[in-house]
Amino acid sequence: MSEASSEDLMPSPEAPDGEEESAKKKEKKSKGLANMFSVFTKGKKKKKDQPRLSDLEVQPKPRPELDGPLPTVEELKEALEHGRLEVAWQVLALERQLEAAAAAGGMSNEELVWRQSKVEALYVLLCDQVLGVLRRPLEAAPERLSQALAVVSQEELEDRRASGGPLAAALEATRPRRWLQRWRGVVAEVAAERLDAQPATAPEGRSEAESRFLHMGRTMKEDLEVVVERLKPLFPDEFNVVRTYAESYHYHFASHLCALAQFELCERDTYLLLLWVQNLYPNDILNSPKLAQELQGVGLGSLLPPKQIRLLEAMFLSNEVTSVKQLMARALELESQRWTQDVAPQSLDGHCHSELAIDILQIISQGQTKAENITSDVGMQIKQLLLVELAALLRSYQRAFDEFLEKSKLLRNYRVNIMANINNCLFFWTSVEQKWQISHDSLNRLLEPLKDLKAHGFDTLLQSLFLDLKPLFKKFTQTRWANPVETLEEIITTVSSSLPEFSELQDCFREELMETVHLHLVKEYIIRLCKRRLVLKTAEQQQQLARHILANADAIQGFCTENGSTATWLHRALPMIAEIIRLQDSSAIKIEVATYATWYPDFSKGHLNAILAIKGNLPSSEVRSIRNILDINTGVQEPPRPLFSLIKVT
């Protein structure tokens, strides 16, 4: 039956006086109506005193009997138009009276239909008044809110009563009215109005979508907190007021996001959408301190379906990796431009400093953080992708640095920029080791370009020094070790004068560079001994040379150690050669050679031949016998740092 208009409330001139006839029929009081009346007139009650639908009488009540006549339809209409919800029980009494009259017979079908239209028009007014109160429950007086809730509860009871009995054929079925369901519809409308309200103007730098997400999320959280704190104590349990509001807000929020996800989103909006769906909504709203317990059993679920989320995550990963790659490439380009434009590097704590490593790792860290803000799983996915991009960037860095080394030798700031880039490696190494939990082998492969960059930088920085040392080392052979102490002092003085320049390297790299110098001094000294230009035929001559070598070895070791070298593995290289030269017994020489080969596995027969050539009194048969000692496999693996493999012998 369609809802009657307010005009239907006017009495029909042709209809019998229904109210007068109804008054004649009522002679007894009805305890049921008295009880029902109290439901509407007691005002606000504490929640524990409110009636539960499950506790209310569900059997059809008898036709109400009153001492006096019911108000007229016009009087009830006027009362409802003035918002008097306490007359709701009288409207219900009219409905029951009509049902009783229909069941008793004696009234024409036309009159029954006419009377029913009047009752239904009153229900239209009553429903509007009740739902109007419940639409803005916090704006209503407590007693009025209590009355509205009681009306809905009573109507639900009447729906259940009506479903249990037959209805006269002339009357149209108007129940169940489902006012509780209509209230839920009102809550859904309120949720839509609140969430669709235009947010305040977006702050500078915040997109429209970001402002919309923030408005909807904040509104939902604040509104649900109000529902929990202020409405839940007032509403009967059967209303499930928290669940109803939560589901309505969730549904509208989800509908909005689903519609938004259908469009082609920019990178930022894709990220924000995922951030809200996967993190902020479930954690900051649903699991907030005031709502977590209340919403625990509601089961609202996700704002987007899993398939849509996976698609958006794939889009985010692709967008973010591309963005990181472009930003890193741009940072490297700007840095390399500074080198080629001869811009001096910054100085930090007395060391040449480059911001490149900081810029690169911040770019990667921001991408990683964004992914982890969505979910830890997305964070793990992007980690592997970013490692690939970082490895590619480091290879590009090495190539750009090598090109700079080759083409920019005449620039004024050439050497300090080299040191700045070597120092840059330290921040890369320490940051990657601390932040990225990857295997040792994977870490070594990732940072391999930096090791090459550092080595090439050292070679370039030391190139001029090593060129200056070359003629000084030649003096050993040219003078046949006549003045080895003076020659070595000249070498050490030359090295010492060049070291202050390297103070702008980080301490660890300055020590490593000193190890490189240490290795070079030992290597060049051995090269001079292997030139086969010195043949000593007496034991005294060989012992004197051995003493010179030992003295030079001590001087080299002392100088290099004092200046930061930790290459202790080089300490035996020259003294043991001196011992081979000093010894005269073939067996003793063999033992010393075998021991030497365990310390320096790259010591070959060619190197041994060159050393033994100094011993002019050693028969060739003994030379062959001693040389064969190196054929014995000692089981020693190749050393991590070569020495004799750097020395070519003829």
Side-chain angles (χ1 to χ4, degrees), residues 283-304:
N283 296 323
D284 290 6
I285 298 179
L286 302 187
N287 204 36
S288 65
K290 294 182 180 180
L291 298 179
Q293 186 174 358
E294 298 292 338
L295 300 179
Q296 190 173 13
V298 177
L300 295 179
S302 175
L303 290 171
L304 291 177

Side-chain angles (χ1 to χ4, degrees), residues 90-143:
Q90 294 167 323
V91 177
L92 176 59
L94 283 181
E95 181 183 18
R96 289 190 175 182
Q97 186 183 72
L98 179 63
E99 293 174 359
M107 189 179 294
S108 68
N109 289 345
E110 291 78 6
E111 183 178 355
L112 289 173
V113 171
W114 173 76
R115 288 177 178 272
Q116 187 177 34
S117 70
K118 300 300 181 181
V119 172
E120 290 308 306
L122 290 174
Y123 268 115
V124 170
L125 286 176
L126 179 60
C127 183
D128 288 344
Q129 289 290 335
V130 169
L131 295 183
V133 172
L134 298 182
R135 176 179 287 273
R136 297 286 184 265
L138 295 177
E139 298 175 6
E143 182 178 358

